[in-house]
Amino acid sequence: MSAPNPDDDQAYVLRSDCAGVTTLTLNRPQQFNSLSQAMIAALQGQLDDLAGDPQVRVVVIAGAGKAFCAGHDLKEMRANRNKAFMRQLFGQCARMMMTLTRIPQPVIARVHGIATAAGCQLVSMCDLAVAADVARFATSGINVGLFCATPAVGLSRNLGRKQALEMLFTGDFIDAQTAQEQGLVNRVVAGAALDDEIARLSAALIGKSPLAITMGKQMFYKQLEMGLEAAYQYAGEVMACNMMSEDAGEGIDAFVGKRQPVWQGR
């Protein structure tokens, strides 16, 4: 008879909803919220469920316990040391990370503690990030002989090339202020003010047209992969379509009439 698994019957990701904001909390605090296959699958399932929910306007990714996310589950990886498992794991994780950019709602990382390796990748793949002043970030795989190749994808799209490579080559931590200066997070506040700051940012997003936010998010990530001329052509088409929407007409009329707009939804 096998020993009981401490993760059995655990809700890997906790969901809470309040006034248009859905918070998904990584819930393996004893393992520093490491991204096991089950954790990734649970987060993927939650993201898929809320993507089609028009009542959800903002998604917040948080972590239970002391850490935000310490990356992949190294014990699980060592216990399944074969290439097929590794390909499946990293493919599963990549799909989840890309889903963060593909769902219509803005996604905010709530970083209260360390975010290392794939945890740092998770921060980089969220649309926005708010960090406590005690939070720290690292791509520390290099310290155990493993270059953080998949975290490098998100990191290199947030930081400058030399800043990203310094993190990837050294595995050294950077503090929250440095992360903000280098573009990994948007805002840094005292830990006690973290939830209030996220509430303020969420309220600002909820106050905008959901259609414009959805169209804008999709456009932003798609144009990043284009050449300059193609990006302008695509952006111009998106803006023309956006301008023909009811929300754009309502927004302009409200501005001219000096009143609050009433948005139609996405």
Side-chain angles (χ1 to χ4, degrees):
M1 181 175 179
S2 61
N5 185 336
D7 285 335
D8 282 349
D9 301 321
Q10 179 186 31
Y12 289 95
V13 177
L14 305 178
R15 174 173 173 171
S16 63
D17 299 89
C18 181
V21 179
T22 292
T23 300
L24 302 178
T25 302
L26 308 181
N27 190 40
R28 299 183 76 208
Q30 299 304 314
Q31 295 79 24
F32 300 104
N33 300 318
S34 58
L35 296 175
S36 64
Q37 277 197 317
M39 173 77 91
I40 295 169
L43 187 53
Q44 181 72 59
Q46 292 282 6
L47 293 171
D48 290 342
D49 286 346
L50 63 86
D53 188 346
Q55 301 304 312
V56 178
R57 297 290 312 281
V58 174
V59 178
V60 176
I61 306 293
K66 295 181 179 180
F68 173 72
C69 178
H72 286 292
D73 188 328
L74 296 180
K75 291 183 179 179
E76 181 181 70
M77 292 167 71
R78 284 297 289 168
N80 296 274
R81 195 168 180 266
N82 64 81
K83 198 167 186 178
F85 175 85
M86 298 304 171
R87 282 176 170 165
Q88 181 180 6
L89 173 66
F90 294 125
Q92 178 189 18
C93 188
R95 176 173 175 257
M96 182 272 291
M97 295 288 181
M98 288 188 291
T99 300
L100 294 168
T101 70
R102 291 172 176 169
I103 64 173
Q105 302 94 339
V107 182
I108 304 171
R110 177 195 183 277
V111 191
H112 70 291
I114 64 165
T116 56
C120 190
Q121 177 186 3
L122 183 58
V123 175
S124 73
M125 294 301 292
C126 290
D127 303 312
L128 303 168
V130 181
D133 53 7
V134 297
R136 297 192 299 154
F137 306 82
T139 48
S140 48
I142 198 69
N143 295 328
V144 296
L146 181 66
F147 186 82
C148 282
T150 46
V153 175
L155 201 66
S156 65
R157 284 161 169 76
N158 283 245
L159 278 63
R161 183 178 299 180
K162 287 181 170 58
Q163 288 80 12
L165 282 171
E166 181 173 350
M167 289 187 70
L168 292 162
F169 285 157
T170 68
D172 291 344
F173 279 94
I174 61 172
D175 60 22
Q177 190 61 47
T178 302
Q180 182 182 30
E181 292 168 357
Q182 295 186 356
L184 184 59
V185 304
N186 298 87
R187 305 180 184 185
V188 175
V189 296
L194 188 56
D195 288 330
D196 287 343
E197 189 64 24
I198 288 176
R200 279 191 289 270
L201 181 56
S202 297
L205 298 174
I206 289 173
K208 311 306 179 189
S209 159
L211 174 68
I213 290 285
T214 296
M215 292 180 70
K217 176 173 174 175
Q218 182 183 48
M219 183 282 304
F220 180 82
Y221 286 109
K222 188 172 180 179
Q223 65 84 28
L224 283 176
E225 308 306 320
M226 296 178 174
L228 186 62
E229 184 175 355
Y232 267 113
Q233 289 175 347
Y234 170 59
E237 179 63 21
V238 171
M239 202 159 189
C241 291
N242 193 169
M243 187 61 196
M244 299 306 296
S245 70
E246 291 185 14
D247 271 6
E250 166 64 12
I252 293 170
D253 290 348
F255 176 78
V256 172
K258 298 181 180 180
R259 60 175 176 81
Q260 289 298 311
V262 180
W263 307 121
Q264 296 302 305
R266 59 176 164 92

